[in-house]
Amino acid sequence: SPPAAPIPDAPGSWMDSAARSVGLVPWLAALAIWLAFRLRKRTTSFRQRRRERAAVKRACRVDDAPAAEKALVAWAGSRWAGSKPLDVADVDRRLGDPDLEAAVTALCAPRYGRGDEAANPWRGAALWAAFRRAVRAEGARKRTRAESGLGVLPALYPNATP
């Protein structure tokens, strides 16, 4: 008996696999572009916050009150990009640290009429120390909430009793 003839492929089967391959390439390219964009954005925001934190430190070290205020608001703007703070008092409220509140009050006092800037110059060391402590404390609070399973979102009704 003659050898059996090979069964031909079903019509269009090689074309189907080629079409799938061609369709997969743009999808993979789009995925790669999206991932690269996200990674670059995350790295950029981290670097930007680091530069802005360095600007706060630099302004505090040279006792430049206007630059410290501007740098602190810029740092907070990149930290809370969704709802940027309007001024240093808003930054203080968000961090919620009493030492930072006192340092921000001291920063604003000579500039906004509660003191004579020439007779009582502002010193940035207290603001820098309070800022560092407040940022570290906020990070520790977030880590504690994340580790305890409460998540990083604050309580919806913090003063409500269960």
Side-chain angles (χ1 to χ4, degrees):
S1 101
I7 300 173
D9 289 339
S13 66
W14 69 271
M15 289 184 70
D16 287 342
S17 63
R20 278 189 223 110
S21 299
V22 169
L24 184 63
V25 170
W27 185 85
L28 288 174
L31 179 65
I33 291 169
W34 178 76
L35 287 172
F37 176 74
R38 282 202 47 157
L39 180 62
R40 186 175 6 167
K41 184 178 177 184
R42 181 177 297 155
T43 304
T44 302
S45 65
F46 175 74
R47 287 181 183 157
Q48 180 180 358
R49 275 200 307 266
R50 184 185 290 174
R51 279 193 307 270
E52 289 166 350
R53 183 181 168 121
V56 173
K57 182 178 183 178
R58 196 170 33 257
C60 288
R61 287 217 170 142
V62 297
D63 300 328
D64 186 355
E69 185 174 349
K70 183 178 178 182
L72 192 59
V73 171
W75 171 84
S78 67
R79 175 91 178 224
W80 296 292
S83 62
K84 294 184 178 188
L86 303 174
D87 57 6
V88 288
D90 197 14
V91 175
D92 169 44
R93 279 190 295 278
R94 290 182 191 206
L95 288 173
D97 185 73
D99 293 335
L100 185 62
E101 181 180 357
V104 165
T105 302
L107 170 67
C108 295
R111 296 194 64 218
Y112 298 109
R114 289 190 14 207
D116 183 14
E117 194 169 353
N120 189 12
W122 176 75
R123 300 287 180 226
L127 177 64
W128 175 243
F131 172 73
R132 281 185 27 217
R133 278 192 306 272
V135 169
R136 286 180 183 158
E138 183 195 27
R141 281 192 306 269
K142 282 184 177 181
R143 279 190 299 279
T144 302
R145 280 197 303 256
E147 290 169 359
S148 67
L150 296 176
V152 294
L153 293 175
L156 186 58
Y157 300 106
N159 297 329
T161 57

